[in-house]
Amino acid sequence: QVQLVESGGGLVQAGDSLTLSCTASGRSFRSLSMGWYRQAPGKEREFVAYIPWSGVNPRYGETVKGRFAISRDDAKNTAYLQMDSLKPEDTARYYCAADRTSDRVIWINHPNSVNTWGQGTLVTVTS
């Protein structure tokens, strides 16, 4: 059973950058697609980004496209979310997720089908 631990959240100002990390336990990381979602208070969960196990053709949510970048380091069993030009509306709890599927429809439209989730890390962006 894969377990995910997020880190890197914090309090930043608008325009700042922040990098989130998600480290997975277990030996199967190379076969896992990894993703990030977020949920702000009173709002629904929102797809942020995902990267297939191959590392090819990551996808991004419309609200973060061009500002955020997802990457992975298979040697470290870790996925990253580089967040630049942060805005107050990026304030949310960010959740890492993992699944063997690389089907972007599932990742983007059916996150309830994604198998494994972390506990989340809080990002607060002040104006």
Side-chain angles (χ1 to χ4, degrees), residues 9-109:
L11 176 66
V12 296
Q13 293 185 328
D16 285 352
S17 298
L18 202 60
T19 301
L20 305 183
S21 300
C22 174
T23 300
S25 63
R27 302 179 180 180
S28 60
F29 185 81
R30 293 177 186 272
S31 64
L32 295 174
S33 296
M34 303 295 296
W36 290 92
Y37 296 83
R38 68 186 183 185
Q39 188 165 20
K43 294 188 177 181
E44 293 187 354
R45 181 174 51 192
E46 178 186 7
F47 167 75
V48 175
Y50 100 102
I51 184 167
W53 59 267
S54 64
V56 175
N57 214 16
R59 303 282 179 162
Y60 297 92
E62 289 299 320
T63 58
V64 306
K65 198 174 291 185
R67 299 188 298 122
F68 290 12
I70 189 171
S71 62
R72 59 189 297 149
D73 186 337
D74 290 350
K76 295 183 178 180
N77 278 17
T78 301
Y80 302 96
L81 185 69
Q82 173 68 38
M83 304 185 293
D84 297 325
S85 302
L86 282 161
K87 305 175 182 180
E89 50 264 44
D90 294 318
T91 295
R93 180 167 289 275
Y94 284 70
Y95 296 90
C96 176
D99 199 290
R100 293 190 180 276
T101 185
S102 58
D103 186 337
R104 68 177 184 270
V105 173
I106 289 178
W107 280 95
I108 296 173
N109 299 116

